[in-house]
Amino acid sequence: MEGSGDPEALMAALMANRQMLEAKVAINNAILTANNDVATSQPGDFFVVGECDGQKTIDGEQMPLVLNPAREGEAGGATGYEALVAALQAEKEWLEGKVVANSAVLLRGFGVRDAAEFDAVVEALGWPAIRYVGPAPRTHVHGRVWTANEGPLEQSVYFHHEMVLIKEFPGKVIVFCEVPPPEGGETPFVPSFRVTERALEEFPEVVEELDAKGLRYTFTAPSSNNTGSMRGRGWEDAFATSDKAEAEKRANALGMDVEWLPDGGAKTILGLRPLTRVFPGRKGRRMWFNTVVGMHGKELSSATAADGSEIPASFVQRCEEIIEEESIQFRWRKGDILILDNLATLHGRRPSLPPRRVLVATCK
């Protein structure tokens, strides 16, 4: 018959085709198996608990809880961050439970290299984004990633809960070290309930009185950003508008009033804020959910009781000392990712030598 060709050649072609099909099936099965391995694995298959300098045990929990890759091959390079992303997608609830239980989780050794890879990690965690509103000058970098406070590195950032004065504040703050500084520049944090416990031991009447009255804050912001100041973010950037009427509207929605100043700046007034708060799932602990130490008696800010009465300076000073005594810090390494429970920890920044590049994402 015309076109039948050599039978042996035909059989050889069929066998070659079959081998190619079998190879394709094997590849697809390998990919499927890899995906299933992540989906069906336990957290311990990917993460192992480690240690870091400065780590403390508070109420039986490590702070921070350090998680390293369980297998050496999953650290470093592009495959490191990709494997981390896959593991986090599979273990979101488990990791969130650790963040709440330990207040801080340090992911170390996963080879995350830059803002884009960090953004992929943030997305993998699945927590909704929340836009930063506050006095620190910051720049958008990639996706949900922003620079940390861009104020002078030789200055420290006082301890605070992120956006503590705003009606809607982050539940999580995720910090990534892209370039570790040669000296200093740590991001210390404090278990907030410990500050309340110790303040109650030393000043029970003052704490209860301020909690009953509530607090009132003021803060003065320039119109444009000033990176020469730790609190140099302009109101136009903070409210994402140069229109004063729209800025007032947005400020009111955030729970603050605005007074316009002759130099173009704005004075924001934030009234009836608590001294301490108790959040669900945190063992009934009273968190030191305020920024009295950071704003009391400062050049651009003030903190008083809501009725206008002064807060004793000796009380504020002692609270600052307690916060420092309870602080926890470690030396940054390139690729470190620190996840803070913003409802349970205050954080700050130590003075640093350059270069230092630390990036941040805030989440609900």
Side-chain angles (χ1 to χ4, degrees):
M1 186 183 347
E2 187 176 343
S4 61
D6 183 359
E8 292 183 1
L10 181 60
M11 288 299 297
L14 289 172
M15 288 297 296
N17 186 57
R18 181 179 178 182
Q19 290 171 350
M20 181 180 68
L21 289 173
E22 289 176 345
K24 285 184 177 180
V25 169
I27 291 171
N28 287 334
N29 283 336
I31 293 172
L32 182 61
T33 300
N35 289 336
N36 286 339
D37 284 345
V38 172
T40 60
S41 64
Q42 297 298 312
D45 295 336
F46 189 81
F47 298 107
V48 63
V49 175
E51 297 178 344
C52 69
D53 59 294
Q55 190 178 43
K56 293 183 181 179
T57 300
I58 309 293
D59 255 12
E61 301 289 353
Q62 291 179 314
M63 293 189 188
L65 174 67
V66 181
L67 297 178
N68 302 131
R71 294 186 288 274
E72 192 68 28
E74 289 167 342
T79 55
Y81 98 87
E82 290 168 348
L84 175 60
V85 164
L88 292 176
Q89 288 172 335
E91 303 296 347
K92 291 176 188 177
E93 292 185 8
W94 175 83
L95 184 71
E96 181 161 18
K98 293 299 181 184
V99 173
V100 171
N102 295 77
S103 300
V105 172
L106 175 62
L107 301 174
R108 171 169 280 179
F110 294 97
V112 181
R113 297 173 295 188
D114 54 30
E117 294 183 359
F118 174 49
D119 186 61
V121 172
V122 173
E123 289 288 352
L125 289 166
W127 300 320
I130 185 169
R131 185 179 184 275
Y132 171 72
V133 178
R138 293 181 173 182
T139 302
H140 180 248
V141 180
H142 181 93
R144 294 171 56 177
V145 178
W146 293 69
T147 58
N149 192 317
E150 294 179 351
L153 287 178
E154 65 270 17
Q155 298 179 22
S156 61
V157 175
Y158 64 86
F159 287 95
H160 60 287
H161 289 270
E162 199 69 29
M163 293 166 56
V164 64
L165 302 182
I166 308 302
K167 282 185 176 180
E168 187 179 20
F169 39 81
K172 315 288 190 305
V173 175
I174 311 175
V175 191
F176 165 64
C177 181
E178 185 174 10
V179 179
E183 183 178 323
E186 298 89 351
T187 300
F189 63 92
V190 176
S192 192
F193 79 97
R194 288 289 300 139
V195 184
T196 307
E197 286 183 347
R198 293 187 58 185
L200 279 167
E201 289 171 0
E202 298 186 32
F203 305 94
E205 294 180 359
V206 177
V207 171
E208 298 298 2
E209 180 182 357
L210 288 175
D211 238 353
K213 287 182 176 180
L215 302 170
R216 180 181 183 270
Y217 302 91
T218 66
F219 180 78
T220 301
S223 59
S224 301
N225 288 348
N226 173 19
T227 56
S229 169
M230 303 301 294
R231 304 179 181 185
R233 191 182 192 194
W235 64 262
E236 294 182 12
D237 184 21
F239 298 124
T241 181
S242 59
D243 181 81
K244 290 184 177 180
E246 181 61 26
E248 277 195 53
K249 181 180 177 182
R250 296 179 184 183
N252 294 160
L254 294 168
M256 62 181 78
D257 296 319
V258 179
E259 292 180 5
W260 299 106
L261 304 176
D263 63 0
K267 180 180 181 180
T268 55
I269 302 110
L270 305 96
L272 206 57
R273 298 296 194 270
L275 183 75
T276 68
R277 288 191 64 165
V278 177
F279 295 100
R282 274 102 182 146
K283 301 182 179 179
R285 294 165 169 169
R286 287 176 71 178
M287 304 301 181
W288 190 252
F289 210 71
N290 65 78
T291 185
V292 167
V293 168
M295 295 182 70
H296 180 270
K298 301 298 191 294
E299 180 182 359
L300 297 176
S301 65
S302 69
T304 65
D307 63 2
S309 58
E310 288 296 323
I311 301 172
S314 57
F315 169 75
V316 177
Q317 180 179 348
R318 180 57 187 144
C319 288
E320 183 174 12
E321 294 169 353
I322 290 171
I323 290 170
E324 183 60 47
E325 290 165 8
E326 293 292 333
S327 66
I328 300 166
Q329 69 182 39
F330 58 88
R331 290 298 307 275
W332 279 119
R333 295 183 188 176
K334 181 175 176 58
D336 280 353
I337 295 176
L338 176 64
I339 306 173
L340 293 172
D341 180 356
N342 190 49
L343 308 184
T345 57
L346 306 103
H347 67 277
R349 188 192 77 187
R350 301 297 189 197
S352 168
L353 292 179
R356 178 187 189 269
R357 184 168 170 84
V358 172
L359 306 178
V360 181
T362 47
C363 308
K364 292 183 180 179

